[in-house]
Structure formats: structure tokens, C-alpha cells
Amino acid sequence: MKKYAVIDFSRTSLSLLVATKEMSRIEIVFKTYRPILIGDMVNKKEKITEKGILKIISEAKELIESAESLAADEVYGISTTLLRSIQNEDEVKDRIYNETGLNIISLSGKEEAYAALQANENYKMLEKAVLFDIGGTSTEICDYSHPNESDMISLDFGTSTIRNAFVKDVYPTKEEEDEIKEFVKGILKEQVEKKERENAILSGSNMNALYKIYQDYYDIPTSGEKLMQYKKLKKLIKVLMDEKRRSSLIIKNVPEKIHLIVPSAICLKVLLKYYGISNITVSSYGVKEGFLKLLLKGEIEATPLSIK
């Protein structure tokens, strides 16, 4: 059976998916990600520095080696937020290709949101459902009642940009939390029509990291669907804002997200409240799965790095 690999280049990590196609489903073989804060390696001219380019290439080579060790036949490269809005996109793409042979496809915010929705289309059966993907530098919102790509919403903020703009230390203070809330509320009021919804599907590494903490804190078994309740999540966020209680919980579960998990939780709380949502499902499927699904359906064209 043919195996496909997808590497996603974002501003906070490089991540790898290895999967097969069985009937109309994408079956995950392996997933991993390597956290890197490339945003800290972007200079004042909005160019990724030489140090940043070398770091990206080094991490990409290791992920390609991982894909090869798992007998992947083809490797595809996508960029969600890494190359968005930088001034040396072509240079970075060329350097990655010359060093690794990997072609990078840049996805716009709406294309990223559409891919995430495609990966999670099985949740369309839920009543009044909406999908959230809070990434490093953008936040995607997909309403299942409006599934066309043109209806997707991509907001120009994420956990990394929120942290850089409002948080001076590792964790936000109460005052900084309030500032983050007001900022996100303002963006939503300006750009997103308010609609009451009942169910939220959460996609992406930040949301899955938050669920790990939620699962540990409430002692939830690892089997079954990953479900959260809004009231319990609110209580957990209070713990994450408590300087005496949060560090051990975060370091135990998601140490690689220590700078981003609290801003992620704050942003999510605002989104859930804005839509009036109480039922939350965390999905293991995201942009990479959606991209691969669209690729195999012929809706996207891409040139792979062939390993075999």
C-alpha cells in the first residue's frame, strides 16, 4: 500500500504526517512535530534570517529521513504560516528545494481553513458545528453550514503573535490576559458575524496540547473521543493562570508549548464564548490530512519528493 508523507512548515514548528489512503479515508501511520520559533528569526525587514533558513533546512532533512525510515513513497511540503507575509519567500523555497529536493506549496489562510475542514468533514453531522484552528500566527474558523472555500475565515492572529504582542514573561499576567481577551473580542466583532453554535471542533497542535492538559487535570481515560466541556475548560484556564499551579501541569504534559499554551487557552475561551458553545471535540486531523485528501481527490496539484 502506498504511503504518503506531508511536512508542514509553520512559524512555530515543522510537523510530519505519514499516512495511507484506505477507501475514502486517510489512515494515519505516524505523526510528529519539531517545535521551532522561526518568528524569532525574522528580521525587521520581514525576512527569515540566514540562521532561520539553516534551522528550517536542518529540521526538514530530519523529517524527510523519518519519512524515508517509515517507507513513505512520496513526500509533499506545504507552508501554512511560515512563508506567509515574509519578504524572502522565494529565496527560502529555493534554498529548501536545493538542499532537500522538497517543493513547498504555500497555502493562504482560506486554503488552510478549507483543508482543515476537509480533514474533519465527518463532524458535519453535529448540530450547529464550527471548527477552530488556533495556530501560531493565524486563526481559522470554518462553519459547517457554509463549507465552500470562499466562506472560510482566516484571522490575522495566533498564539505566537498574541504572545509577542502582549506577554512580557513566560506566562501572561492577569492584566495581560485581559488585554488579550479584549484584542480577540475586537477582532471577532469587526470580522466575524456572531452566530450561536452548539458544537466546536478543535484542530491543530495547540488545541491537542491543551487537551492533553485537560485530560490529565480531570483524569480522563485515553481511549475514546477527545471531548471537553466549556465549564470545565474555564476552570482549567483559571489553574493555568495560577502561577503556583500551572508550571508542573504544563511541563508534565506539553513542555514544548510552555510559551504558547496559556495564550492558546485564552484565545479559545473567547472564541467559545463568542459563539455560545458548550460542547467541544478535539480532532486528531488537521491541515496536513486535509491537504492529502484534496491532493488524492485531484483538487490540488503538487510535485512530490519521490523517495523510492
Side-chain angles (χ1 to χ4, degrees):
M1 183 177 294
K2 196 169 184 178
K3 287 183 183 177
Y4 304 88
V6 182
I7 298 175
D8 177 16
F9 294 72
S10 80
R11 288 212 181 187
T12 57
S13 69
L14 267 67
S15 55
L16 169 70
L17 165 74
V18 178
T20 60
K21 181 184 179 183
E22 296 185 15
M23 302 298 287
S24 60
R25 288 182 56 83
I26 300 298
E27 295 295 333
I28 298 172
V29 174
F30 178 76
K31 291 181 78 171
T32 189
Y33 74 98
R34 306 177 74 90
I36 51 172
L37 294 177
I38 291 297
D40 295 340
M41 300 180 190
V42 176
N43 63 26
K44 293 180 180 179
K45 294 182 180 180
E46 286 300 307
K47 292 184 177 182
I48 297 178
T49 63
E50 178 67 15
K51 179 181 179 181
I53 294 172
L54 292 176
K55 178 67 173 174
I56 293 166
I57 291 171
S58 174
E59 298 290 350
K61 284 181 176 178
E62 292 196 22
L63 290 181
I64 291 170
E65 288 176 2
S66 295
E68 185 174 8
S69 70
L70 291 162
D73 298 280
E74 298 176 351
V75 184
Y76 294 86
I78 62 173
S79 170
T80 46
T81 58
L82 175 66
L83 302 180
R84 203 176 292 166
S85 301
I86 67 166
Q87 297 302 310
N88 58 338
E89 175 181 351
D90 291 339
E91 177 194 358
V92 176
K93 281 184 176 180
D94 289 344
R95 293 279 297 277
I96 293 171
Y97 177 75
N98 290 336
E99 291 289 337
T100 68
L102 189 65
N103 288 287
I104 307 296
I105 296 177
S106 297
L107 301 182
S108 69
K110 288 200 173 198
E111 288 171 335
E112 181 182 348
Y114 185 64
L117 186 68
Q118 289 297 305
N120 292 286
E121 65 175 350
N122 57 307
Y123 291 107
K124 64 186 178 183
M125 65 190 73
L126 293 177
E127 187 74 18
K128 295 183 178 179
V130 62
L131 183 144
F132 300 136
D133 185 346
I134 304 175
T137 58
S138 68
T139 294
E140 277 65 53
I141 302 175
C142 315
D143 191 325
Y144 279 84
S145 63
H146 296 86
N148 297 319
E149 185 176 324
S150 59
D151 297 320
M152 302 294 103
I153 297 171
S154 180
L155 303 176
D156 195 21
F157 73 86
T159 53
S160 183
T161 50
I162 288 288
R163 172 183 171 267
N164 292 339
F166 296 102
V167 184
K168 295 179 181 178
D169 207 337
V170 176
Y171 301 113
T173 63
K174 183 63 175 70
E175 292 74 18
E176 290 168 344
E177 179 191 19
D178 292 339
E179 290 176 355
I180 293 169
K181 286 179 180 178
E182 289 305 311
F183 173 79
V184 176
K185 285 178 188 176
I187 295 292
L188 291 175
K189 287 179 181 178
E190 289 176 5
Q191 301 184 34
V192 181
E193 181 183 354
K194 191 169 185 177
K195 297 179 180 179
E196 290 294 319
R197 290 292 178 259
E198 294 181 12
N199 292 281
I201 312 305
L202 309 184
S203 178
S205 65
N206 288 325
M207 299 296 95
N208 275 274
L210 182 59
Y211 180 76
K212 283 185 181 180
I213 297 175
Y214 181 94
Q215 182 183 41
D216 181 30
Y217 184 73
Y218 288 110
D219 195 24
I220 299 171
T222 55
S223 60
E225 279 198 285
K226 296 183 283 188
L227 306 175
M228 295 195 291
Q229 296 175 9
Y230 178 66
K231 289 182 178 179
K232 286 187 174 182
L233 181 61
K234 281 177 62 178
K235 291 179 181 178
L236 176 60
I237 293 173
K238 287 184 179 180
V239 174
L240 294 178
M241 288 302 300
D242 186 339
E243 60 183 17
K244 295 181 180 180
R245 303 168 68 190
R246 62 189 169 200
S247 289
S248 60
L249 192 59
I250 294 171
I251 292 170
K252 176 183 176 183
N253 290 286
V254 287
E256 73 281 4
K257 295 283 187 179
I258 191 168
H259 293 86
L260 301 176
I261 197 64
V262 180
S264 295
I266 294 169
C267 291
L268 176 61
K269 180 181 175 183
V270 176
L271 283 168
L272 294 170
K273 186 174 181 181
Y274 189 77
Y275 279 88
I277 291 169
S278 56
N279 303 312
I280 307 160
T281 302
V282 183
S283 172
S284 298
Y285 291 83
V287 177
K288 294 185 293 297
E289 288 85 355
F291 167 82
L292 185 55
K293 188 173 183 179
L294 291 168
L295 180 76
L296 296 177
K297 286 166 61 177
E299 293 187 35
I300 292 178
E301 292 185 359
T303 302
L305 167 63
S306 297
I307 293 179
K308 293 183 179 180

